[in-house]
Amino acid sequence: MYQVATANNSMNSSSIAINGEILSWEQVMGSLQLFGKLQPFLQEVVMQYILVTEVNSRDDLDISSTDLIQGIMDFRVQQNLTDGDKFNEWLKKENLDNNLFQNRIMLGLKIEKLRQVIAETQLESYFQEHQKSLEEVLLNCVVTSEKELAEQIKERLVNENISVEELAKEFSNSEQNVRFFKQQAQRRSLSKLGQEASSLSTEGELVGPVNVDKNWSILKVIEIIPAELDEKMKKQIEAQLFSEWLVEKVRDLKVDFKPQTS
């Protein structure tokens, strides 16, 4: 089985030098710890360890030579590296040789396939369970710092045949502090303001005034876009399930960091 290598042999004797001063790995790790960067660094190391270990231990992630070549071509096109000289310059800058570069592409392709394998048995059930929160909602939002003004605006929206857009024009030259904007997102990723309308299910429905971040807001549903399990949605759910899987893997590991003491 093809094993993904993590580095070439020269990495075993690698060092970091700044203005000719060689830093030991103990100094590097100590600096990360001193500046509060060590924990995220270690978490990244652990996640990479999990992914490489998982990729190398499975036999259901085969990548054909054709897919590898296509992956390399796609990367070079995306990064504007189709010119040979420019690509070689980039390899040098990244401290890569061609073999390690191909290994990087192979690892990315295998991780993408791993993501699909992990998600495929849960994808349909996840979509069914979260379909409501995956809907997109398009909202008209009216925000003002004055509660009384917000109540007056809502009353006009309810009792007069006037739209939010017409109100926005009316207030455009006013000195009163009123903001009008639209927001579109999945229900689960709406801002704190939009979440106040997360239970709304009818186009044209109003909610508010709602006190959010010391302002008074009125929300009106313009459109509700049902969630569909298309390719874009599948990718989104795959990423979510893969992220949850990775977090669980990290949680199950015991990681010890013991800095050397003088």
Side-chain angles (χ1 to χ4, degrees):
M1 181 176 59
Y2 184 92
Q3 297 286 301
V4 174
T6 55
N8 55 33
N9 292 334
S10 64
M11 287 296 291
N12 294 330
S13 58
S14 294
S15 61
I16 298 175
I18 301 176
N19 283 341
E21 179 185 352
I22 296 177
L23 303 182
S24 68
W25 287 111
E26 288 77 13
Q27 287 175 293
V28 173
M29 299 295 276
S31 293
L32 287 170
Q33 189 174 36
L34 186 63
F35 284 94
K37 307 283 188 176
L38 182 60
Q39 193 60 37
F41 172 78
L42 290 177
Q43 186 173 21
E44 185 69 23
V45 170
V46 170
M47 288 193 294
Q48 291 171 3
Y49 167 83
I50 290 170
L51 291 174
V52 172
T53 302
E54 189 75 19
V55 162
N56 283 335
S57 66
R58 301 181 69 121
D59 58 6
D60 56 351
L61 305 176
D62 289 338
I63 302 296
S64 69
S65 58
T66 301
D67 288 339
L68 176 59
I69 292 170
Q70 186 62 52
I72 291 171
M73 290 175 60
D74 290 344
F75 177 86
R76 291 182 61 173
V77 169
Q78 290 164 9
Q79 299 299 317
N80 193 25
L81 295 171
T82 52
D83 177 77
D85 291 338
K86 194 172 182 179
F87 175 61
N88 289 330
E89 257 325 290
W90 179 85
L91 287 176
K92 184 178 179 181
K93 183 180 177 181
E94 293 288 315
N95 290 316
L96 294 173
D97 58 29
N98 200 53
N99 288 335
L100 191 52
F101 167 70
Q102 289 189 26
N103 227 283
R104 179 185 289 188
I105 299 298
M106 176 64 77
L107 177 60
L109 292 172
K110 282 178 172 278
I111 289 174
E112 176 61 28
K113 194 164 187 177
L114 175 64
R115 189 196 323 269
Q116 296 169 3
V117 169
I118 287 171
E120 63 184 355
T121 59
Q122 308 172 62
L123 200 148
E124 182 72 34
S125 59
Y126 183 96
F127 176 75
Q128 295 299 331
E129 183 179 350
H130 298 89
Q131 190 168 359
K132 184 72 173 178
S133 67
L134 293 170
E135 285 182 347
E136 288 197 0
V137 183
L138 178 59
L139 299 170
N140 258 330
C141 309
V142 184
V143 181
T144 178
S145 57
E146 302 174 30
K147 182 180 180 181
E148 184 177 348
L149 179 57
E151 290 173 340
Q152 291 173 3
I153 290 173
K154 183 179 181 181
E155 185 176 348
R156 291 188 64 188
L157 288 170
V158 172
N159 297 325
E160 300 178 21
N161 187 23
I162 188 169
S163 68
V164 174
E165 288 78 11
E166 288 171 323
L167 274 176
K169 289 180 182 178
E170 181 180 317
F171 279 91
S172 62
N173 296 319
S174 170
E175 294 183 359
Q176 291 175 296
N177 183 22
V178 185
R179 292 186 294 119
F180 297 84
F181 60 93
K182 289 182 180 180
Q183 181 181 34
Q184 180 173 341
Q186 288 180 341
R187 289 185 185 273
R188 65 178 183 176
S189 60
L190 285 167
S191 65
K192 184 178 179 181
L193 173 63
Q195 286 173 7
E196 298 293 340
S198 61
S199 62
L200 298 181
S201 58
T202 305
E203 293 178 4
E205 195 171 353
L206 283 170
V207 64
V210 177
N211 193 335
V212 179
D213 296 331
K214 299 181 181 180
N215 285 310
W216 293 93
S217 305
I218 302 164
L219 306 173
K220 182 176 182 179
V221 178
I222 303 173
E223 184 179 5
I224 297 172
I225 305 166
E228 296 182 4
L229 195 55
D230 54 18
E231 284 304 310
K232 182 180 177 181
M233 181 64 69
K234 286 179 181 178
K235 290 290 184 184
Q236 181 182 333
I237 296 175
E238 282 176 2
Q240 178 67 33
L241 292 171
F242 186 66
S243 176
E244 292 174 3
W245 171 86
L246 190 54
V247 167
E248 193 65 31
K249 284 282 189 179
V250 171
R251 189 180 296 121
D252 290 341
L253 284 182
K254 180 182 178 182
V255 181
D256 294 318
F257 173 68
K258 298 178 181 178
Q260 290 186 355
T261 56
S262 55

